[in-house]
Amino acid sequence: MSTPPEVTPLIPPMRWLLYIAAFLVFLAGLVLFVFPLRTEEWFAWTVNPPMTAVFLGAAYWSSAGLEVTGARSANWDSARLAVWPVFVFTTLTLGVTLLHLDRFHLSPDTAPTAQVATWAWLAIYAIVPVAMLVISWMQIRSWRPATKSITAGRPVLPPALRLLLMGIAAVLLLYGVALLAVPIPAATWWPWPLSELTARAIGAWLVGLGWAAAQGQLSGDLRTVRPVALTSVAFVILQVLALLRYGDALTWPSAPAIGFVTVLLAIGVAGGWALALSRGR
């Protein structure tokens, strides 16, 4: 199907970058979500407790959906809702990696599979943010002055949904930044124990997800919200499965545990609502 002349087509390098990124995060999610007890052997760093591993695995797997949906988009207006959160997350994760490099499986005493995973991790997080910037510049350069963006108009989401998304974005961004900046004090508000590395790794995810929610509520076309909506629904479903497996790690019925479930519920409602609206377009 040809792209309508009033939108900016997605260039092939951007499409392929998103597909490659989706494949890579799928692999990371496979180890973390399916084999959370084997991260010492199969992952770039040892993730404890298992609830942290499955939480991160769920985040990786749901982001694969964001990237695939973005890659399948016919135009840049829709795909960029996947591109910028991925760029923000990978850049932050690169910083977290360099800050905690001593925790990664670089020692010759670690399992060979873990060493391979570590070097792959370092290569991916060094290359992907730069590739995102370069290809985004190419994408923006492909825009023609006569081209009219389909997101140029006013936000079209219902005010109540926009307000919900803004609230979710504010919570995720603020708490994500806190976990990145002061991981140990901020982790006291997380429902299970975190180390400095795992707190910052989760913080990078929260900032990326918050960025996606903030972008989504500004959309001027319902079709462009679909990648974020699908990701939100997938994220919640996977986190529910994670809780069913390792939910005993949470300190019930503490305020952090209740807050965690409340935010998940809000993300699920917002994602399902946006998805229902976008499917009719």
Side-chain angles (χ1 to χ4, degrees), residues 38-65:
R38 307 295 295 272
T39 57
E40 186 176 1
E41 305 166 64
W42 295 348
F43 197 60
W45 42 285
T46 303
V47 185
N48 282 313
M51 182 63 206
T52 301
V54 292
F55 175 90
L56 292 172
Y60 274 106
W61 267 0
S62 59
S63 72

Side-chain angles (χ1 to χ4, degrees), residues 167-187:
I168 292 169
V171 170
L172 296 181
L173 288 169
L174 289 173
Y175 189 49
V177 169
L179 286 171
L180 288 165
V182 285
I184 297 304

Side-chain angles (χ1 to χ4, degrees), residues 246-280:
Y246 295 105
D248 56 348
L250 278 68
T251 51
W252 299 103
S254 65
I258 294 170
F260 179 79
V261 172
T262 301
V263 172
L264 278 185
L265 180 61
I267 293 172
V269 169
W273 190 353
L275 185 60
L277 292 171
S278 68
R279 285 178 65 86

Side-chain angles (χ1 to χ4, degrees), residues 163-256:
L163 184 62
L164 179 58
L165 284 169
M166 285 189 285
I168 292 169
V171 170
L172 296 181
L173 288 169
L174 289 173
Y175 189 49
V177 169
L179 286 171
L180 288 165
V182 285
I184 297 304
T188 60
W189 287 95
W190 194 255
W192 64 86
L194 299 176
S195 66
E196 282 194 42
L197 172 55
T198 54
R200 286 192 166 115
I202 289 174
W205 271 113
L206 297 186
V207 171
L209 293 169
W211 192 288
Q215 277 192 155
Q217 63 89 20
L218 290 172
S219 179
D221 188 282
L222 288 173
R223 291 168 294 179
T224 65
V225 184
R226 196 168 299 157
V228 176
L230 284 169
T231 300
S232 300
V233 172
F235 178 77
V236 172
I237 291 172
L238 289 168
Q239 293 298 347
V240 169
L241 293 176
L243 287 171
L244 290 174
R245 293 171 66 190
Y246 295 105
D248 56 348
L250 278 68
T251 51
W252 299 103
S254 65

Side-chain angles (χ1 to χ4, degrees), residues 37 57 76 84 122 148 154 171 175 183 213 240 246 256 258:
L37 302 178
W76 170 238
W84 299 128
L122 293 173
K148 181 181 178 182
R154 297 171 59 185
V171 170
Y175 189 49
V240 169
Y246 295 105
I258 294 170

